[in-house]
Amino acid sequence: MKQYIIIFIALFLLFSSCSRNQLHRHSRESTVMDTYVSVTIYDPAISQEQAYALIDSSFTEFRRVEAAMTDYADTSEVGIVNVRAGKDTVTVSEELAELLKTSISFSEQSNGAFDVSVGPIVKAWNFLSPEPIVLSKSKLENLRQFVDYKKIIIDGNSVFLNRIGMRIDLGAIAKGYAVDKVIEILKRKGIKNTIVDLGGNLAVWWEGTHALYSAVAEILVRHPRKEGKFFGSLKVGTCGVSTSGDYQRYFINDNIRYHHIIDPATGYPANDVVSVTIVADDAMTADALSTTIFVLGRQKGMEFIKKSKGVEGLIVWEEGGSLKYELSSGLQGKFKRSDD
Ligand code: AMP
Ligand code: MG
């Protein structure tokens, strides 16, 4: 299924006042967290060597976050919490404790549409298997007993999953979190213009610009149904942008698409919309909310965007065989639909 995890957002700078050469662009790509990552630095003051050294330290940071947050390995911090579910309290890093607390607050705000304890259901669907199967309603009903963010007990840096069989899965938030960590490092090193993209969870850091009042970067949003094509583009300044789509990890059975974004209320993939792009102040918020709003669906999702300060969104859904979309008010005039 790895081939489905392809680049679905690309970036192009707008050359309003400066030429390509003046931008001094240094860029490298790699693979981390099962997807591509690219770090691009635009800075006339540093040499290619210095830029590459910074980009390499960014990749090291991505790998550090991945090693701690992955639930694929029983030996990662998250893996240990999962293995000890229902048995022991585990002392974790402050970083993981904070990320879990933040995740729980997204769950509270969304009434459980976002839930990092969705792990048992995601694991059972096994979207990465070469031959995934459709799970029965009764199997999902049974698994849902093990999914409940209220049963993640955190006290300081101690974490306890209050039931055997529970499982944390940070897949909907960790990539955005990692992007923000890398941006922090690059800012500390004095970089003023950079774009970091981890599998479509990206951050634009362009000193002195603002998400919606500046247009230094054009973000291309992947077409949810045409591989290699773009649905449209968004012009933004400093911000986090993330897209969640039903085309990233999926299989089709009897004409029904089963994909990796799960509605915790049913255990089935959420099916009201096909793609959600969120613009927020940082990449972690954009990442968590693109998944949340995908689960909430078109109407509740747009209401959620409207009431969330600093959050804007593009929701795409299928109707009568074609794709329709809605923009929140802040993105009006910032989004341009591509020709299909
Ligand atoms: P994203 O691509 O950011 O939308 O995240 C999707 C990933 O998040 C999935 O592959 C799962 O690992 C996890 N996930 C699926 N459904 C949910 C949910 N309702 N809440 C939190 N995480 C989820
Ligand atoms: Mg997400």
Side-chain angles (χ1 to χ4, degrees), residues 114 171-173 201 242 244 286-291:
F114 180 91
I173 190 168
N201 302 279
S242 171
S244 289
D287 188 3
L289 290 187
S290 65
T291 312

Side-chain angles (χ1 to χ4, degrees), residues 221-226 230-234 243-247 270-278 290 293-295 297-299 301-302 305 313-319 322-328 331 335 337 340:
V221 179
R222 206 193 114 167
H223 196 294
R225 291 292 175 264
K226 292 184 182 165
F230 295 101
F231 185 73
S233 60
L234 272 172
T243 296
S244 289
D246 67 3
Y247 50 81
N271 61 8
D272 198 39
V273 302
V274 300
S275 151
V276 173
T277 300
I278 294 294
S290 65
I293 282 145
F294 194 107
V295 173
R298 195 183 143 196
Q299 199 193 329
M302 200 44 88
I305 292 172
L314 156 71
I315 300 183
V316 185
W317 68 94
E318 255 174 343
E319 201 176 297
S322 62
L323 294 179
K324 310 267 178 194
Y325 71 96
E326 188 178 352
L327 296 167
S328 63
L331 293 186
F335 176 74
R337 177 80 166 91
D340 267 356

Side-chain angles (χ1 to χ4, degrees), residues 28 30 32 37-41 51-65 178-179 181-187 189 191 194-196:
R28 270 189 170 171
S30 185
V32 73
V37 56
S38 80
V39 177
T40 309
I41 292 174
Y52 282 172
L54 283 172
I55 294 174
D56 283 346
S57 54
S58 304
F59 292 160
T60 304
E61 175 67 0
F62 277 126
R63 300 214 162 86
R64 185 194 68 76
V65 175
V179 167
K181 293 297 286 180
V182 164
I183 292 279
E184 250 176 53
I185 289 175
L186 295 175
K187 271 164 96 168
K189 297 282 183 187
I191 296 301
T194 179
I195 296 174
V196 177

Side-chain angles (χ1 to χ4, degrees), residues 113-116 118 122 169 171-172 201 243-244 248-249 260-264 287 290-291 295:
F114 180 91
D115 192 332
V116 288
V118 75
V122 174
D169 173 342
N201 302 279
T243 296
S244 289
Q248 292 166 27
R249 289 182 188 185
H260 70 315
I261 304 172
I262 304 298
D263 182 351
D287 188 3
S290 65
T291 312
V295 173

Side-chain angles (χ1 to χ4, degrees), residues 11 13 40-43 179-180 182-197 202-211 216-217 219 236-241 281:
L11 293 159
L13 280 184
T40 309
I41 292 174
Y42 307 85
D43 194 335
V179 167
D180 289 338
V182 164
I183 292 279
E184 250 176 53
I185 289 175
L186 295 175
K187 271 164 96 168
R188 265 206 310 273
K189 297 282 183 187
I191 296 301
K192 295 184 169 54
N193 306 321
T194 179
I195 296 174
V196 177
D197 181 2
L202 61 95
V204 177
W205 158 244
W206 213 268
E207 199 177 56
T209 68
H210 178 274
V216 293
I219 314 287
V236 292
T238 291
C239 68
V241 185
D281 290 341

